[in-house]
Amino acid sequence: MNIRHEETQSGGRYVAEVDGYYAEMTYSRASPRLIIIDHTGVPDGLRGKGVGQALALHAVEDARKGGWKIIPLCPFFKSQVERHPDWQDILQ
């Protein structure tokens, strides 16, 4: 699965391309060290294939590498955080 990170001044998104479908996880930047994940969109053709989980893990790994924190506003990302107690270190 190919996941790319697109960043703007005010936020960005993680985009996964699988079998011609695109899924995304968007965020806004609250400060240089804090992002708010606000949306995860996975098309029906990719549901149940772990694409949303892969996007979430990618964001967590980026936060750890970059030394920043995440506020989980998106219901999907919030549910993933609850399932992964080992992700607590990246939460604001």
Side-chain angles (χ1 to χ4, degrees):
M1 177 181 325
N2 179 31
I3 297 177
R4 72 178 183 274
H5 182 201
E6 299 173 355
E7 198 165 13
T8 66
Q9 246 181 320
S10 62
R13 68 184 187 149
Y14 294 96
V15 181
E17 180 183 358
V18 181
D19 300 330
Y21 293 100
Y22 292 89
E24 71 174 1
M25 178 173 285
T26 62
Y27 65 88
S28 57
R29 187 162 293 285
S31 75
R33 296 275 180 222
L34 180 65
I35 68 166
I36 301 166
I37 293 183
D38 51 26
H39 173 73
T40 302
V42 177
D44 290 341
L46 295 180
R47 293 195 186 269
K49 296 185 178 184
V51 177
Q53 291 172 331
L55 289 168
L57 180 59
H58 203 82
V60 168
E61 289 172 348
D62 273 3
R64 287 179 175 150
K65 286 179 201 167
W68 35 272
K69 301 287 185 180
I70 297 173
I71 295 173
L73 186 60
C74 165
F76 174 79
F77 188 80
K78 195 178 226 178
S79 72
Q80 289 300 304
V81 167
E82 290 170 1
R83 291 183 186 144
H84 295 90
D86 56 315
W87 291 4
Q88 298 303 306
D89 62 308
I90 55 89
L91 295 180
Q92 173 62 33

